[in-house]
Amino acid sequence: MTATHLMHSPGHIDPLPLPRQITPREDGRVDLIGLPRQRIAELFAEAGLDAKAAKLRAKQVFHWLYHRGVTDFKAMTDIAKTMHPWLAERFVIGRPEIVEAQQSTDGTRKWLLRTADGHDFEMVFIPDADRGTLCISSQVGCTLNCRFCRTGTMQLVRNLTPGEIVGQVMLARDALGEWPKGRMDGLDDAEDEGGYSADGRLLTNIVMMGMGEPLYNFDNVRDALRMMMDGDGLALSKRRITLSTSGVVPMMARAGEEIGVNLAVSLHAVSKKVRDEIVPLNRKYGIEELLEACSAYPGASNARRITFEYVMLKGRNDSDEDARELVRLIKRYKLPAKVNLIPFNPWPGAPYECSDEDRVRRFSKVIFEAGISAPVRTPRGRDIDAACGQLKTSAEKKSRAELERLWAEKQQALG
Ligand code: SAH
Ligand code: SF4
């Protein structure tokens, strides 16, 4: 079923071939999800509408897709009934397929999703008292292979398309029942908005912390995030979206300029030796370069601080000295920063253990005492293996020896 022609990864440190990202549908219809309004208008024009009608219809359809979440053209009541079959013959309104949905005892939900060409990836929803965070994926697998991360052990990698990325949010809204209800006969029908307010929503925040390195799939991630922020559609605020990167330095400024969401950086270590081991990308872009890129990140301020993620690995990166060095680095680069301490979530064959609770508390205290916020992230959904970064289909378990071999191969590729 898959028509995967190999192409090279957009990340230039990464010589692994990536399967091509778009496999056309066999029925020839085009999935509208993930296409900008302008592109939808072009497709309508190519299919025979005059320019003005194409533009108007594209505007209406876009609103139905992203603001109302409809999955059937027949529900588009301000579009003439006679046009519904015209649309349905040429286009589809896609969603990633749900292979499996799980719910943890703490309310965390996890979905195993499948692309139309048969690749699996995951998404997690984490409800809290004051917010609901959806953790979404940017790639199937990841080419980077951080040593503590299970996603990095996956061999199959493919960039997700804008439709597959934004599709995760659409699917979450479907599952949570969060599309506005009621009539909509016209685009500016004020009545339609009644009974629906952004405040009451469960899904309030998006983090790109699922599978993949978002800055190695820059264009698709940018297009998808812009779509999520579009005021006519999902209308999520950039302040409620966070992009997490392992430190793809050359793409960070563009991320700030062209996307403008909050930045999280997976730092995890404060010395070259340890970070080279834990996050092999460090051999390409070192800590100093990374922190300089952080201090230049457009939009970072005391009101919008950069989050440094720091996974707590017993005996590797968790000493008081490490904590003091972390403080020193943040101060030296004058970074408006907070630190997020993440208890390591072990997986079969992982070469690390999580730091003891006392150690984590002490590490956090050292940073707090220096005036920098350093909360410890509470593990969520552990009974369903849902921790961010833990995303991997259990069907793909590998032996320790296989993992070591894969790791060695990727190290070699990094040079
Ligand atoms: N590739 C990006 C975004 C996805 S990883 C990045 O690396 O930032 C998102 C987060 O999941 C990272 O901060 C990573 O530290 C965390 N993570 C991965 N594996 C983990 C594990 N086993 N336990 C705890 N956190 C993990
Ligand atoms: Fe990839 Fe992020 Fe996992 Fe590293 S931590 S392997 S960059 S997903």
Coordinates of all heavy atoms in Angstrom, one line a residue, residues 324-412:
R324 N 24.2 23.8 40.0 CA 24.9 25.1 40.1 C 25.4 25.6 38.7 O 25.3 26.7 38.4 CB 26.0 25.1 41.1 CG 25.5 25.1 42.6 CD 26.6 25.4 43.6 NE 27.5 24.3 43.7 CZ 27.4 23.3 44.5 NH1 26.4 23.3 45.4 NH2 28.3 22.3 44.5
E325 N 25.9 24.6 38.0 CA 26.4 25.0 36.6 C 25.2 25.4 35.7 O 25.4 26.3 34.9 CB 27.1 23.8 36.0 CG 27.6 23.9 34.6 CD 28.7 25.1 34.4 OE1 29.1 25.6 35.4 OE2 29.0 25.4 33.2
L326 N 24.1 24.8 35.9 CA 22.9 25.1 35.1 C 22.5 26.6 35.4 O 22.3 27.4 34.5 CB 21.8 24.2 35.5 CG 20.4 24.4 34.7 CD1 20.6 24.4 33.2 CD2 19.5 23.2 35.1
V327 N 22.5 26.9 36.7 CA 22.2 28.3 37.1 C 23.2 29.3 36.5 O 22.9 30.3 36.0 CB 22.2 28.4 38.7 CG1 22.2 29.8 39.1 CG2 21.1 27.6 39.3
R328 N 24.5 28.9 36.6 CA 25.5 29.8 36.1 C 25.3 30.0 34.6 O 25.4 31.2 34.1 CB 26.9 29.1 36.4 CG 28.1 30.1 36.3 CD 29.4 29.4 36.4 NE 29.7 28.5 35.3 CZ 30.1 28.8 34.1 NH1 30.3 30.1 33.8 NH2 30.2 27.9 33.1
L329 N 25.0 29.0 33.9 CA 24.9 29.1 32.4 C 23.7 30.0 32.1 O 23.7 30.9 31.2 CB 24.6 27.8 31.7 CG 25.9 26.9 31.6 CD1 25.5 25.5 31.2 CD2 26.9 27.5 30.6
I330 N 22.6 29.8 32.8 CA 21.4 30.6 32.6 C 21.7 32.1 32.8 O 21.3 33.0 32.1 CB 20.2 30.1 33.4 CG1 19.7 28.8 32.9 CG2 19.0 31.1 33.4 CD1 18.6 28.1 33.7
K331 N 22.4 32.3 33.9 CA 22.7 33.7 34.3 C 23.7 34.3 33.3 O 23.6 35.5 32.9 CB 23.2 33.8 35.7 CG 22.1 33.4 36.7 CD 22.3 33.9 38.1 CE 20.9 33.8 38.7 NZ 20.9 33.8 40.2
R332 N 24.7 33.5 32.9 CA 25.7 34.0 32.0 C 25.1 34.5 30.7 O 25.6 35.5 30.1 CB 26.8 32.9 31.8 CG 27.9 33.4 30.9 CD 29.1 32.4 30.9 NE 29.6 32.3 29.6 CZ 30.1 31.2 29.1 NH1 30.1 30.1 29.8 NH2 30.5 31.2 27.8
Y333 N 24.2 33.8 30.2 CA 23.5 34.2 28.9 C 22.3 35.1 29.2 O 21.6 35.3 28.2 CB 23.2 32.9 28.1 CG 24.4 32.3 27.6 CD1 25.1 31.3 28.3 CD2 24.9 32.6 26.3 CE1 26.3 30.7 27.8 CE2 26.1 32.1 25.8 CZ 26.8 31.1 26.5 OH 27.9 30.5 26.0
K334 N 22.1 35.5 30.4 CA 21.0 36.4 30.8 C 19.7 35.9 30.2 O 18.9 36.6 29.6 CB 21.3 37.8 30.3 CG 22.5 38.4 30.9 CD 22.5 39.9 30.6 CE 23.7 40.6 31.3 NZ 25.0 40.2 30.7
L335 N 19.4 34.6 30.4 CA 18.2 34.0 29.8 C 17.0 34.2 30.6 O 17.0 33.8 31.8 CB 18.4 32.5 29.5 CG 19.5 32.3 28.5 CD1 19.9 30.8 28.5 CD2 19.1 32.6 27.1
P336 N 15.9 34.7 30.1 CA 14.6 34.6 30.8 C 14.2 33.1 30.7 O 13.6 32.7 29.7 CB 13.7 35.5 30.0 CG 14.3 35.7 28.7 CD 15.7 35.2 28.7
A337 N 14.4 32.4 31.8 CA 14.3 30.9 31.7 C 13.6 30.4 32.9 O 13.7 30.9 34.0 CB 15.7 30.3 31.5
K338 N 13.0 29.2 32.7 CA 12.6 28.4 33.8 C 13.0 27.0 33.5 O 13.3 26.7 32.3 CB 11.1 28.4 34.0 CG 10.3 28.0 32.8 CD 8.8 28.3 33.0 CE 8.1 28.2 31.7 NZ 6.7 28.7 31.7
V339 N 13.2 26.2 34.5 CA 13.7 24.8 34.3 C 12.6 23.8 34.6 O 11.9 24.0 35.6 CB 14.9 24.5 35.2 CG1 15.4 23.1 35.0 CG2 16.0 25.5 34.9
N340 N 12.4 22.9 33.7 CA 11.4 21.8 34.0 C 12.1 20.5 34.3 O 12.8 20.0 33.4 CB 10.5 21.7 32.7 CG 9.2 21.2 33.0 OD1 8.9 20.7 34.1 ND2 8.3 21.4 32.1
L341 N 12.1 20.1 35.5 CA 12.8 18.8 35.8 C 11.9 17.6 35.6 O 10.8 17.6 36.1 CB 13.2 18.9 37.3 CG 14.2 20.0 37.6 CD1 14.5 20.0 39.1 CD2 15.5 19.9 36.8
I342 N 12.3 16.7 34.7 CA 11.5 15.6 34.3 C 12.1 14.3 34.9 O 13.2 13.9 34.5 CB 11.5 15.5 32.8 CG1 11.2 16.9 32.1 CG2 10.5 14.4 32.3 CD1 11.4 16.9 30.6
P343 N 11.3 13.7 35.8 CA 11.8 12.3 36.2 C 11.9 11.4 35.0 O 11.0 11.3 34.3 CB 10.7 11.9 37.2 CG 10.0 13.1 37.6 CD 10.1 14.1 36.4
F344 N 13.1 10.8 34.9 CA 13.2 9.9 33.8 C 12.2 8.7 33.9 O 12.0 8.1 34.9 CB 14.7 9.3 33.8 CG 14.9 8.2 32.8 CD1 14.8 8.4 31.5 CD2 15.2 6.9 33.3 CE1 15.0 7.4 30.5 CE2 15.4 5.8 32.4 CZ 15.3 6.1 31.0
N345 N 11.6 8.5 32.7 CA 10.6 7.4 32.7 C 11.3 6.2 32.0 O 11.6 6.2 30.8 CB 9.4 7.9 31.8 CG 8.2 7.0 32.0 OD1 8.2 6.1 32.8 ND2 7.2 7.2 31.2
P346 N 11.6 5.2 32.8 CA 12.3 4.0 32.2 C 11.6 3.2 31.2 O 10.3 3.2 31.3 CB 12.7 3.2 33.5 CG 11.8 3.6 34.6 CD 11.2 5.0 34.2
W347 N 12.3 2.6 30.3 CA 11.6 1.7 29.3 C 12.5 0.5 29.2 O 13.7 0.6 29.5 CB 11.4 2.4 28.0 CG 12.5 3.4 27.6 CD1 12.6 4.7 27.9 CD2 13.7 3.1 26.8 NE1 13.7 5.3 27.4 CE2 14.4 4.3 26.7 CE3 14.1 2.0 26.1 CZ2 15.6 4.4 25.9 CZ3 15.3 2.1 25.4 CH2 16.0 3.3 25.3
P348 N 12.0 -0.6 28.7 CA 12.8 -1.8 28.6 C 14.1 -1.6 27.8 O 14.0 -1.2 26.7 CB 11.9 -2.8 27.9 CG 10.5 -2.2 28.0 CD 10.6 -0.8 28.1
G349 N 15.2 -1.9 28.4 CA 16.5 -1.8 27.7 C 17.1 -0.4 27.8 O 18.2 -0.2 27.3
A350 N 16.5 0.5 28.5 CA 17.1 1.9 28.7 C 18.3 1.8 29.5 O 18.4 1.1 30.5 CB 16.0 2.8 29.4
P351 N 19.3 2.6 29.1 CA 20.6 2.5 29.8 C 20.7 3.4 31.0 O 21.8 3.6 31.5 CB 21.6 3.0 28.7 CG 20.8 3.9 27.8 CD 19.4 3.4 27.9
Y352 N 19.6 4.0 31.5 CA 19.6 4.9 32.6 C 18.6 4.5 33.6 O 17.6 3.8 33.3 CB 19.4 6.3 32.2 CG 20.4 6.9 31.2 CD1 20.0 7.1 29.9 CD2 21.7 7.1 31.6 CE1 20.9 7.6 29.0 CE2 22.6 7.6 30.6 CZ 22.2 7.8 29.3 OH 23.1 8.3 28.4
E353 N 18.7 5.1 34.8 CA 17.7 5.0 35.9 C 17.3 6.4 36.2 O 18.1 7.3 36.1 CB 18.3 4.3 37.1 CG 18.3 2.8 37.1 CD 19.0 2.4 38.4 OE1 18.4 2.4 39.4 OE2 20.2 2.0 38.3
C354 N 16.1 6.5 36.8 CA 15.7 7.9 37.3 C 16.4 8.2 38.6 O 16.6 7.4 39.4 CB 14.2 7.9 37.5 SG 13.6 9.5 38.0
S355 N 16.8 9.5 38.8 CA 17.4 9.9 40.0 C 16.4 9.7 41.2 O 15.2 9.7 41.0 CB 17.7 11.4 40.0 OG 18.3 11.8 38.8
D356 N 17.0 9.5 42.4 CA 16.1 9.3 43.5 C 15.3 10.6 43.8 O 15.8 11.7 43.5 CB 16.9 9.0 44.8 CG 17.7 7.7 44.6 OD1 17.2 6.8 43.8 OD2 18.7 7.5 45.2
E357 N 14.2 10.4 44.5 CA 13.3 11.5 44.8 C 14.0 12.6 45.5 O 13.9 13.8 45.2 CB 12.1 11.0 45.6 CG 10.8 11.2 44.9 CD 9.7 10.6 45.7 OE1 9.3 11.2 46.7 OE2 9.3 9.5 45.4
D358 N 14.8 12.3 46.5 CA 15.5 13.3 47.3 C 16.5 14.1 46.5 O 16.6 15.3 46.6 CB 16.3 12.6 48.4 CG 15.4 12.2 49.6 OD1 14.3 12.6 49.5 OD2 16.0 11.5 50.5
R359 N 17.1 13.4 45.6 CA 18.1 14.0 44.7 C 17.4 15.0 43.8 O 17.9 16.2 43.6 CB 18.8 12.9 43.8 CG 19.9 13.4 43.0 CD 21.3 13.5 43.6 NE 21.5 14.4 44.7 CZ 21.8 15.7 44.7 NH1 22.0 16.2 43.5 NH2 22.0 16.4 45.7
V360 N 16.2 14.6 43.3 CA 15.5 15.5 42.4 C 15.1 16.8 43.2 O 15.2 17.9 42.7 CB 14.3 14.8 41.8 CG1 13.5 15.7 40.9 CG2 14.7 13.6 41.0
R361 N 14.6 16.5 44.4 CA 14.1 17.6 45.2 C 15.3 18.6 45.5 O 15.2 19.8 45.4 CB 13.5 17.1 46.5 CG 12.2 17.7 46.8 CD 11.5 17.1 48.0 NE 11.1 15.8 47.8 CZ 11.2 14.7 48.6 NH1 11.8 14.9 49.7 NH2 10.7 13.5 48.3
R362 N 16.4 18.0 45.8 CA 17.6 18.8 46.2 C 18.1 19.6 45.0 O 18.4 20.8 45.1 CB 18.7 17.8 46.7 CG 20.0 18.4 46.9 CD 20.1 19.2 48.2 NE 21.3 20.0 48.1 CZ 21.4 21.3 48.6 NH1 20.5 21.8 49.2 NH2 22.5 21.9 48.4
F363 N 18.1 19.0 43.8 CA 18.5 19.6 42.5 C 17.6 20.8 42.3 O 18.0 21.9 41.9 CB 18.4 18.6 41.4 CG 19.1 19.0 40.1 CD1 20.4 18.5 39.9 CD2 18.4 19.7 39.1 CE1 21.0 18.8 38.7 CE2 19.1 20.0 38.0 CZ 20.4 19.6 37.7
S364 N 16.3 20.6 42.5 CA 15.3 21.6 42.2 C 15.5 22.8 43.2 O 15.5 24.0 42.8 CB 13.9 21.0 42.4 OG 13.0 22.0 42.6
K365 N 15.9 22.5 44.5 CA 16.0 23.5 45.5 C 17.2 24.4 45.2 O 17.2 25.6 45.3 CB 16.3 22.8 46.8 CG 16.1 23.7 48.0 CD 15.9 22.8 49.3 CE 15.9 23.7 50.5 NZ 17.2 23.8 51.2
V366 N 18.3 23.8 44.7 CA 19.5 24.6 44.4 C 19.2 25.6 43.3 O 19.6 26.8 43.4 CB 20.7 23.7 43.9 CG1 21.8 24.5 43.3 CG2 21.1 22.8 45.0
I367 N 18.4 25.2 42.3 CA 18.0 26.2 41.2 C 17.0 27.2 41.8 O 17.2 28.4 41.5 CB 17.4 25.4 40.0 CG1 18.5 24.3 39.6 CG2 17.1 26.3 38.9 CD1 17.9 23.4 38.5
F368 N 16.0 26.8 42.5 CA 15.1 27.7 43.1 C 15.8 28.8 43.9 O 15.5 30.0 43.9 CB 14.0 27.0 44.0 CG 12.8 26.7 43.2 CD1 12.3 25.4 43.0 CD2 11.9 27.7 42.7 CE1 11.2 25.1 42.4 CE2 10.7 27.4 42.1 CZ 10.4 26.1 41.9
E369 N 16.7 28.3 44.7 CA 17.4 29.2 45.6 C 18.2 30.3 44.9 O 18.5 31.4 45.4 CB 18.3 28.5 46.6 CG 17.5 27.9 47.8 CD 18.3 27.0 48.6 OE1 19.4 26.7 48.3 OE2 17.7 26.5 49.6
A370 N 18.5 30.0 43.6 CA 19.2 31.0 42.8 C 18.2 31.9 42.1 O 18.6 32.7 41.2 CB 20.1 30.3 41.8
G371 N 17.0 31.8 42.4 CA 15.9 32.7 41.9 C 15.4 32.2 40.5 O 14.7 33.0 39.8
I372 N 15.6 30.9 40.2 CA 15.0 30.4 38.9 C 14.0 29.3 39.2 O 14.3 28.4 40.0 CB 16.2 29.9 38.0 CG1 17.2 31.0 37.7 CG2 15.6 29.2 36.7 CD1 18.5 30.5 37.1
S373 N 12.9 29.4 38.6 CA 11.8 28.4 38.9 C 12.3 27.1 38.3 O 12.7 27.0 37.1 CB 10.6 28.9 38.2 OG 9.6 27.9 38.1
A374 N 12.1 26.0 39.1 CA 12.5 24.7 38.6 C 11.6 23.6 39.2 O 12.0 22.7 40.0 CB 14.0 24.4 39.1
P375 N 10.3 23.6 38.8 CA 9.4 22.6 39.3 C 9.7 21.2 38.7 O 10.4 21.1 37.7 CB 8.1 23.1 38.7 CG 8.4 23.9 37.5 CD 9.7 24.6 37.8
V376 N 9.3 20.2 39.5 CA 9.5 18.9 39.0 C 8.2 18.4 38.4 O 7.1 18.6 38.9 CB 9.8 17.9 40.2 CG1 10.0 16.5 39.8 CG2 11.0 18.4 41.0
R377 N 8.3 18.0 37.1 CA 7.1 17.5 36.4 C 6.6 16.3 37.0 O 7.3 15.3 37.2 CB 7.4 17.3 35.0 CG 6.2 17.1 34.1 CD 6.5 16.6 32.7 NE 7.0 17.6 31.8 CZ 7.5 17.3 30.6 NH1 7.6 16.1 30.2 NH2 8.0 18.3 29.8
T378 N 5.3 16.3 37.4 CA 4.6 15.1 37.9 C 4.4 14.1 36.8 O 3.8 14.4 35.8 CB 3.3 15.4 38.5 OG1 3.4 16.7 39.2 CG2 2.8 14.4 39.4
P379 N 4.9 12.9 36.9 CA 4.7 11.9 35.9 C 3.2 11.6 35.7 O 2.5 11.5 36.8 CB 5.4 10.6 36.4 CG 6.2 11.1 37.5 CD 5.6 12.3 38.1
R380 N 2.7 11.6 34.5 CA 1.3 11.4 34.3 C 1.1 10.2 33.4 O 1.9 9.9 32.5 CB 0.6 12.6 33.6 CG 0.7 13.9 34.5 CD -0.2 13.8 35.7 NE -1.6 13.6 35.3 CZ -2.5 14.6 35.1 NH1 -2.1 15.8 35.2 NH2 -3.7 14.3 34.8
G381 N 0.0 9.5 33.6 CA -0.4 8.4 32.7 C 0.6 7.3 32.7 O 0.7 6.6 31.6
R382 N 1.3 7.0 33.8 CA 2.3 6.0 33.7 C 1.7 4.6 33.5 O 2.4 3.7 32.9 CB 3.2 6.0 35.0 CG 4.2 7.1 35.0 CD 5.5 6.7 35.6 NE 6.5 7.7 35.2 CZ 7.7 7.8 35.8 NH1 8.0 7.1 36.8 NH2 8.6 8.7 35.3
D383 N 0.5 4.4 34.0 CA -0.1 3.1 33.8 C -0.4 2.8 32.3 O -0.6 1.6 31.9 CB -1.4 2.9 34.7 CG -2.4 4.1 34.4 OD1 -1.9 5.2 34.1 OD2 -3.6 3.9 34.6
I384 N -0.5 3.8 31.5 CA -0.7 3.6 30.1 C 0.6 4.0 29.3 O 0.5 4.2 28.1 CB -1.9 4.3 29.5 CG1 -1.9 5.8 29.8 CG2 -3.2 3.6 30.1 CD1 -2.9 6.6 29.0
D385 N 1.7 4.2 29.9 CA 3.0 4.5 29.3 C 2.8 5.8 28.4 O 3.3 5.8 27.3 CB 3.3 3.3 28.3 CG 4.6 2.8 28.6 OD1 5.2 3.1 29.7 OD2 5.1 2.0 27.8
A386 N 2.3 6.8 29.1 CA 1.9 8.0 28.3 C 2.8 9.2 28.4 O 2.6 10.2 27.8 CB 0.5 8.4 28.6
A387 N 3.9 9.1 29.2 CA 4.7 10.2 29.5 C 5.2 10.8 28.1 O 5.6 10.0 27.2 CB 5.9 9.9 30.4
C388 N 5.3 12.1 28.0 CA 5.8 12.7 26.8 C 7.2 12.1 26.6 O 8.0 12.0 27.5 CB 5.9 14.2 27.0 SG 4.3 15.0 26.5
G389 N 7.6 11.9 25.4 CA 8.9 11.3 25.1 C 8.9 9.8 25.3 O 9.9 9.2 24.9
Q390 N 7.9 9.3 25.8 CA 7.8 7.9 26.0 C 7.0 7.3 24.9 O 6.6 6.1 24.9 CB 7.1 7.7 27.3 CG 7.1 6.2 27.8 CD 8.4 5.8 28.2 OE1 9.4 6.5 28.1 NE2 8.6 4.5 28.5
L391 N 6.7 8.1 23.9 CA 5.7 7.7 22.9 C 6.3 6.7 21.9 O 7.2 7.0 21.1 CB 5.2 8.9 22.1 CG 4.7 10.0 23.1 CD1 4.2 11.1 22.3 CD2 3.6 9.4 23.9
K392 N 5.8 5.5 21.9 CA 6.3 4.5 21.0 C 5.4 3.3 21.1 O 4.9 3.0 22.1 CB 7.7 4.0 21.5 CG 8.3 2.9 20.7 CD 9.8 3.0 20.7 CE 10.5 2.0 19.8 NZ 9.8 0.9 19.4
T393 N 5.1 2.8 19.9 CA 4.2 1.7 19.9 C 4.9 0.5 20.6 O 6.0 0.1 20.3 CB 3.8 1.3 18.5 OG1 5.0 0.7 17.9 CG2 3.4 2.4 17.7
S394 N 4.1 -0.2 21.4 CA 4.7 -1.3 22.2 C 5.0 -2.5 21.2 O 5.7 -3.4 21.6 CB 3.8 -1.7 23.3 OG 2.5 -1.8 22.9
A395 N 4.4 -2.5 20.1 CA 4.6 -3.6 19.1 C 6.0 -3.6 18.7 O 6.5 -4.6 18.2 CB 3.7 -3.4 17.9
E396 N 6.7 -2.5 18.8 CA 8.1 -2.5 18.2 C 9.2 -2.6 19.2 O 10.2 -1.9 19.1 CB 8.2 -1.1 17.6 CG 8.0 -1.2 16.1 CD 8.4 0.1 15.5 OE1 9.5 0.2 15.1 OE2 7.5 1.0 15.4
K397 N 9.0 -3.5 20.2 CA 10.1 -3.6 21.2 C 11.3 -4.2 20.6 O 11.3 -5.1 19.8 CB 9.6 -4.6 22.3 CG 8.5 -3.9 23.2 CD 8.4 -4.5 24.5 CE 7.4 -3.8 25.4 NZ 6.1 -4.2 25.3
K398 N 12.5 -3.7 21.0 CA 13.7 -4.2 20.5 C 14.6 -4.7 21.7 O 14.4 -4.3 22.8 CB 14.5 -3.1 19.9 CG 13.9 -2.6 18.5 CD 14.9 -1.7 17.8 CE 14.4 -1.2 16.5 NZ 13.3 -0.2 16.7
S399 N 15.5 -5.6 21.4 CA 16.3 -6.2 22.4 C 17.4 -5.1 22.7 O 17.7 -4.2 22.0 CB 17.0 -7.5 22.0 OG 18.0 -7.2 21.0
R400 N 18.0 -5.3 23.9 CA 19.1 -4.4 24.3 C 20.2 -4.4 23.3 O 20.7 -3.3 22.9 CB 19.6 -4.9 25.7 CG 20.6 -4.0 26.3 CD 20.0 -2.6 26.7 NE 21.0 -1.6 26.7 CZ 21.7 -1.3 27.8 NH1 21.4 -1.9 28.9 NH2 22.6 -0.3 27.7
A401 N 20.6 -5.6 22.8 CA 21.6 -5.6 21.8 C 21.3 -4.9 20.5 O 22.1 -4.1 20.0 CB 21.9 -7.1 21.5
E402 N 20.0 -5.0 20.1 CA 19.6 -4.3 18.9 C 19.7 -2.8 19.1 O 20.1 -2.0 18.3 CB 18.2 -4.6 18.6 CG 18.0 -5.9 17.8 CD 16.5 -6.2 17.6 OE1 15.9 -6.7 18.6 OE2 16.0 -5.9 16.5
L403 N 19.3 -2.4 20.4 CA 19.3 -0.9 20.7 C 20.7 -0.4 20.6 O 21.0 0.7 20.1 CB 18.7 -0.7 22.1 CG 17.2 -0.9 22.2 CD1 16.7 -0.8 23.6 CD2 16.4 0.1 21.3
E404 N 21.6 -1.2 21.2 CA 23.0 -0.8 21.3 C 23.6 -0.6 19.8 O 24.3 0.3 19.5 CB 23.9 -1.8 22.0 CG 23.7 -1.7 23.5 CD 24.2 -0.4 24.1 OE1 25.0 0.3 23.6 OE2 23.6 -0.1 25.2
R405 N 23.2 -1.6 19.0 CA 23.7 -1.5 17.6 C 23.2 -0.3 16.9 O 23.9 0.4 16.2 CB 23.3 -2.8 16.9 CG 23.9 -3.0 15.5 CD 23.4 -4.3 14.8 NE 22.0 -4.4 14.8 CZ 21.1 -3.8 14.1 NH1 21.6 -2.9 13.2 NH2 19.8 -4.0 14.2
L406 N 21.9 -0.1 17.1 CA 21.2 1.1 16.4 C 21.9 2.4 16.9 O 22.1 3.3 16.1 CB 19.7 1.0 16.8 CG 18.8 2.0 16.0 CD1 18.8 1.7 14.6 CD2 17.4 1.9 16.6
W407 N 22.1 2.4 18.2 CA 22.7 3.6 18.8 C 24.1 3.8 18.1 O 24.4 4.9 17.7 CB 22.8 3.4 20.3 CG 23.1 4.7 21.0 CD1 22.2 5.8 21.1 CD2 24.3 5.1 21.5 NE1 22.9 6.8 21.8 CE2 24.2 6.4 22.1 CE3 25.6 4.5 21.7 CZ2 25.2 7.1 22.7 CZ3 26.6 5.3 22.3 CH2 26.4 6.5 22.8
A408 N 24.9 2.8 18.1 CA 26.2 2.9 17.5 C 26.2 3.3 16.0 O 27.0 4.2 15.6 CB 27.0 1.5 17.6
E409 N 25.2 2.8 15.3 CA 25.1 3.2 13.9 C 24.8 4.7 13.8 O 25.3 5.4 13.0 CB 23.9 2.5 13.3 CG 24.2 1.2 12.6 CD 23.0 0.5 12.1 OE1 22.0 1.1 11.9 OE2 23.1 -0.8 12.0
K410 N 23.9 5.2 14.6 CA 23.5 6.6 14.6 C 24.7 7.5 15.0 O 24.8 8.5 14.5 CB 22.2 6.8 15.4 CG 21.0 6.3 14.7 CD 19.7 7.0 15.2 CE 18.5 6.4 14.6 NZ 17.2 7.0 15.1
Q411 N 25.4 7.0 16.0 CA 26.6 7.7 16.4 C 27.6 7.9 15.3 O 28.1 9.0 15.0 CB 27.4 7.0 17.6 CG 26.6 6.8 18.8 CD 25.9 8.0 19.3 OE1 26.6 9.0 19.6 NE2 24.6 8.0 19.2
Q412 N 27.7 6.9 14.5 CA 28.7 6.9 13.4 C 28.2 7.9 12.4 O 28.9 8.7 11.8 CB 28.8 5.5 12.8 CG 30.2 5.0 12.7 CD 30.2 3.6 12.2 OE1 29.2 3.0 11.9 NE2 31.4 3.0 12.3

